[in-house]
Amino acid sequence: MKLRRRSAVVAAGVAAAALLVPAAVAAAHGNGKQDDTSLRALASKQGLRFGTAVDASQLGSNKAYTDIVAGQFSAVTAENAMKWDAVEPSQGVYNWKAADDLVKFAQQNGQAVRGHTLMWHNQLPSWLTTGVSNGTISDAQLRDILHKHVTDEVTHFKGKVWQWDVANETFANSWETPQADGLNADDFWVKHLGSGVLADVFRWAHQADPKALLMYNDYNITGEDGTNVKFQAVYDFVKQMRKQGVPIDGIGEQGHLDTQYGFNAQLYQNDLQAYGDLGLKVAITEADVRTFVDDPATQVPTDSLAQFAQPYEFSALLKGCELVTQCISFTAWGVYDGDSWIPGTFSGEGSGLLYDVNLQPKTVYSTLQQDLQLAAGTKKHGPVGSDK
Ligand code: G3I
């Protein structure tokens, strides 16, 4: 049934193209106004929030960027401003400014805020990692420090954050060393504090803000890497946590794709639905679809087929979310290619986002508009608001 539905969705999407593109392109350039062909307006017709990661250094200083963020998106994620190294660069000395500015911007523009991220092995402040590596911070002290960090940060944003990525990327990928429970044995937090640390951080976050939706966030947890091993590990672990009464509300699938690897859209949708059938909400939290490009400055795809693969795979990510009612938000990991993490991480690759290096909408932008237009009113994913 769903397969037929998917092909119907794809086929009719093309028909919608002629209706949308001219008006859409004008709107896509961003004028800060929320017109009815924007991604956020179209997504709201199915109770879905369409979001973006926001670079604090661009918000406010880059007008075109700021207008697009305000006009196109109904959810925002701090790309880096809420990470531990940003908010507590020195122990006990907090720097909330960039994150507070984003929250204020979101409140002014009717956007929900995704908090990212409380416990991750990356972007930890050097005072913490140095203390652990030289032994001046014991594992017992590390647990207390983590407890304080989670409590302080969630308390600071209490009532202002819709979803928290409480724990990020703690399960093993195929190239890493899995524990029996599937967690990455070499993850900084798992290695020092054991598997129980996940239940701890969810409980601490819930104590600090009982209304926030608490998510486990990771990549390759919906079969997008061609295997369902990591999905099964996360599924089983979270199912067990919920049985133990751990306050975990949902799963964030990051959705970082690469056209060179292909993508099994049906497996991805099946896995999203499986999480939903556990009673969890799901969110696509960091969507981008990278491909090989000429150079980081222009990011023109070098493979002629990529011009079709990139929008196709981005559309498959969105459709999977649209077809699972428990999917409450779909977030791209950045606004435009010129500000994406991809070129600095994957040499020779880029063009992963909806807007090009000149902040102009790409084909994928109108592809997603068509998807949203077509699905308008089909399913309610939830109130486009902060209620659970
Ligand atoms: O803030 C410093 C600045 O002071 C310094 O001058 C500059 C040059 O060294 O570095 C700046 O920090 C950079 C930081 O982004 C803020 O811009 C780090 O070097 C850089 O490594 C960091 O990259 C971020 C990356 O996470 C770190 O792992 C990317 O912007 C961000 O998009 C990326 O996002 C992650 C998600 O949080 C989790 N999922 C995977 C995703 C991609 O890696």
Side-chain angles (χ1 to χ4, degrees), residues 55 78-80 83 85 116-117 120 122-123 168-169 217 219 254 256 286 333 340-341 345:
D55 177 350
E79 183 178 9
N80 292 295
K83 289 172 179 173
D85 65 344
H116 177 82
T117 177
W120 189 27
N122 271 356
Q123 293 178 270
N168 192 49
E169 302 176 15
N217 192 54
Y219 58 95
Q254 294 180 5
H256 294 298
E286 308 183 14
W333 197 243
S340 167
W341 68 290
T345 305

Side-chain angles (χ1 to χ4, degrees), residues 54 56 78-83 86-87 95-96 98-99 102 116 153 157:
V54 176
E79 183 178 9
N80 292 295
M82 290 187 183
K83 289 172 179 173
V87 299
N95 175 8
W96 303 116
L102 175 62
H116 177 82
E153 179 150 20
F157 294 108

